[in-house]
Every structure is written in structure tokens, then in C-alpha cells.
Amino acid sequence: MAIRSIARGCGAYLPERIVTNAELAAKVDTTDEWIQARTGIKQRHIAADGQLTSDLAVHAANRAMEMAGVEGKDIDLIVLATATPDHTFPSTATTVQAAIGMSGGAAFDVQAVCSGFIFALATADNFIKAGQCKRALVIGAETFSRILDWEDRTTCVLFGDGAGAIVLEASEGEGPDAQGILSTHLHSDGRFKEMLYVDGGPSSTQTVGHLRMQGREVFKHAVTNLSNVVLEALEANGLEADAIDWLVPHQANQRIISGAARKLKMDTAKVVTTVSSHANTSAASVPLALNVAVQDGRIKFGDLLLLEAMGGGFTWGASLLRW
Ligand code: ACO
């Protein structure tokens, strides 16, 4: 029997402060109507002054470990996806490691922007399948509010802060009916860097910089790339779209989510959407959405989930996971 990574628990955390579209409209030239019609976003959570990405991540990790019935000492790998780390170094993952009382094993960050959680999940899954760890904490955590240009209405209305986490554990299983991660599929194409990037960084400007984006171009690539990677994941497992119980997509824009669901001919009732209340939380968006649907009872033991995301780089990926 092959080693398989099964999900033992999940958790999430959103900062207390909610910023509505109306609040943003008082600061930049935008309206609640424009934001809702173009994106589906109604509000976003914004981290308090001094509240760091690692703080959000630790809350989410603790909740995921509680659901899994494990403690920090039981974890032997942390893979944390973020594009907004606390510091240039050390990794945010090692800060979380210390905070949850995990002293052994390894902890590191991965950087694939909005696809970060799928990249982190794939990394942890492969470590588990290679026998290099037994129980991994996979976290997506972001404070995108810190890299937004709050005077640029084309980007500042789109993003929010938050964190989500999942505990994976080595088990045994084979085939699409067994619990756990069936497969992960990752892609990147560095030729499109200029369409979505941050105009700062330690090596280039010695500043943090701000997010810059050609929204319409990103939108087109997102719909195509996501459709392709979702089909790739289904094909790799010999499954049809109707086998999916829940689509848990990256929450960038309601129109991108609906486009992906339409291509799969999926009933919108089977699509988990949180973009209206969380906005785009980058690497945190998939585990935040997953956690909402697990906590409210929609996702049940044995359900087949399709996770997908696309982000700067470009990077994109998908995973089929039997909960
Ligand atoms: N309020 C009011 N008007 C605005 C705003 C705003 N916040 N932002 C832009 N506009 C204006 C533009 O200036 C433009 O005006 P013009 O016609 O006079 O020039 C008009 O609205 C239309 O702008 P577009 O950019 O063409 O609008 P579009 O329908 O493409 O929507 C959006 C923009 C929402 C950014 C969309 O392109 C999108 O969602 N793209 C995907 C980007 C994304 O989600 N990126 C996240 C990271 S990658 C990922 O997660 C997939």
C-alpha cells in the first residue's frame, strides 16, 4: 500500500477589523457598486498595527492542531506559504515553529503568491510520500494590506489579510476512493512577471514596495490556466468533473470563480465562495475557504475536494483531496 497524506484538521484566522467597500470609497475614487459588480467583494479583514503574518498563522495553526488533536511537539514539518513574510529572514515558518512549541523537524516558507497554499500542500505531500516526515502543518498566511498602494483604486480594493492551515498526516491508501491527497499539479511561467508583481524587494530597491497589476490580462490568464490545471488533475485520477463534491477555489474574483465552475459544468451550490467577505487573501484564501465549509458542515468526511489557485509569477496549481 502506498503512503498517502491525509487531512486531520483545518483552522483559520481573520483579523478583527473589517473594512467595507463604503469605507474605501471614502478614501479612493471608487464605489461599493463598482467593487461588487466587478469582483463580488463586499468587505475585507485588515490586520491591526503590529499584528504580523506569523501572528495570524499561529492562530490558524493552533485551531488546525486542535481539530486534529495534536500539539506542536507532534508536528515534524511546517511549510508556510506567504508573499508577505514578517521579515526578509528568518522565514515566517520558523517563527510559527517556535510559537507552537515544535523544536524538532523542519520549517520553511514557500513563495508562489496566490498559488502559495497549493505549492505548500504539494511540497508537504511529497515530503510525506518520500517518508521524510510524518505530520505536517501546511499554512497560508498573508498581510497583503502592507504591500498595497492605498492610493491605487485598481488594486487596493481587491485584497485582505488572513491565515488558514491544515494538518496532514502520513497514512496508507490507493486510488480515488481512499482518504487523503490524490494528486497535486503545479505550474509556473516566469514570462508574465510584469503583469503582477511588487515593485520593491531587498535585492532590487531595499524597500518593501507595492503590488502592481495589469488586472484585465491577469484575469484572462487566470481563467485559461485554472481550467487547464483542473482538467489535468481530473484526468490524472481518471475522474470526471461530476465526481467532485466541492470546488474550493482561490478567492480572487467572483467572475473568475464562476468562469472556472462553468467550464466544469459544476452547480454553483458545490462551489465554496468567501470572496465577498474575505476579498483576495492570496495564499490564505484556499485554506480560509476550506475551513469555512468544514466548520459549517458542508464538507464532510469522504467528500472529494478540488482545490485550485493562480497567482503572480505566473504560478498556478490544483489538488484533489478526499477529506
Ligand atoms: N473603482 C472604480 N473604477 C475602477 C476601479 C475601482 N476600484 N478600478 C478600476 N476602475 C476603472 C478603470 O480605471 C477603468 O476605467 P476606464 O474604462 O475609464 O479606463 C474601468 O474601471 C475598467 O477597468 P478594467 O481594469 O478594465 O476592469 P475589469 O473589468 O478588468 O476589472 C479587475 C478589474 C477587477 C481588477 C479584474 O480585471 C480582475 O479581477 N482581474 C484579476 C486580477 C486578480 O484577481 N488579481 C489577483 C491576483 S492573481 C489572482 O489571484 C488570480
Side-chain angles (χ1 to χ4, degrees):
M1 196 69 93
I3 301 179
R4 182 165 280 188
S5 314
I6 58 165
R8 281 285 184 219
C10 61
Y13 179 79
L14 289 158
E16 244 171 72
R17 181 159 177 253
I18 291 173
V19 175
T20 62
N21 291 346
E23 207 177 315
L24 284 184
K27 290 184 190 144
V28 287
D29 183 16
T30 190
T31 60
D32 177 39
E33 292 73 26
W34 191 97
I35 301 170
Q36 284 207 48
R38 301 283 177 134
T39 69
I41 297 166
K42 293 184 178 162
Q43 60 170 50
R44 68 286 295 140
H45 291 249
I46 300 291
D49 288 346
Q51 192 175 33
L52 306 186
T53 295
S54 62
D55 296 322
L56 312 188
V58 168
H59 282 303
N62 281 331
R63 288 173 182 174
M65 289 193 297
E66 195 182 320
M67 183 175 168
V70 300
E71 295 175 15
K73 63 174 174 43
D74 305 317
I75 303 287
D76 55 3
L77 176 72
I78 297 177
V79 187
L80 186 148
T82 190
T84 47
D86 293 3
H87 303 285
T88 302
F89 78 80
S91 71
T92 303
T94 53
T95 302
V96 173
Q97 183 188 25
I100 66 165
M102 167 194 164
S103 52
F108 57 88
D109 291 356
V110 302
Q111 222 284 37
V113 206
C114 298
S115 316
F117 186 76
I118 306 290
F119 277 61
L121 193 74
T123 306
D125 179 41
N126 283 317
F127 267 71
I128 287 174
K129 287 195 294 199
Q132 214 168 338
C133 75
K134 290 264 181 287
R135 206 175 282 117
L137 197 45
V138 183
I139 306 171
E142 303 276 18
T143 47
F144 254 52
S145 59
R146 308 266 156 76
I147 55 164
L148 296 176
D149 175 350
W150 288 99
E151 288 176 4
D152 175 11
R153 68 174 183 171
T154 68
T155 53
C156 77
V157 302
L158 302 174
F159 297 90
D161 301 334
I166 182 170
V167 175
L168 291 180
E169 193 174 279
S171 182
E172 288 186 338
E174 254 165 25
D177 295 333
Q179 203 194 348
I181 296 178
L182 273 52
S183 63
T184 58
H185 305 268
L186 305 183
H187 295 276
S188 50
D189 190 337
R191 291 173 300 168
F192 298 100
K193 175 183 159 191
E194 300 302 323
M195 288 185 186
L196 180 53
Y197 67 103
V198 167
D199 62 6
S203 183
S204 56
T205 60
Q206 298 81 57
T207 62
V208 172
H210 292 117
L211 181 147
R212 305 293 174 205
M213 179 173 72
Q214 297 171 34
R216 205 178 289 183
E217 291 305 314
V218 174
F219 191 100
K220 279 191 239 158
H221 281 88
V223 173
T224 309
N225 291 340
L226 288 171
S227 302
N228 290 343
V229 77
V230 157
L231 293 177
E232 179 187 329
L234 288 170
E235 222 173 277
N237 292 281
L239 294 170
E240 300 290 336
D242 60 8
I244 303 165
D245 294 301
W246 297 102
L247 175 64
V248 188
H250 171 48
Q251 310 285 323
N253 181 314
Q254 184 59 51
R255 291 187 294 149
I256 298 178
I257 296 171
S258 303
R262 247 192 325 272
K263 289 226 167 162
L264 284 169
K265 298 192 176 63
M266 272 194 87
D267 184 348
T268 48
K270 291 166 88 179
V271 184
V272 181
T273 50
T274 54
V275 66
S276 64
S277 50
H278 300 171
N280 182 348
T281 56
S282 183
S285 97
V286 170
L288 270 165
L290 172 72
N291 184 65
V292 164
V294 168
Q295 298 305 332
D296 69 18
R298 273 180 288 172
I299 294 177
K300 294 188 180 62
F301 180 80
D303 281 353
L304 184 63
L305 317 182
L306 177 59
L307 318 179
E308 47 95 317
M310 143 103 189
F314 288 141
T315 55
W316 65 102
S319 177
L320 276 165
L321 163 64
R322 194 166 290 285
W323 191 250

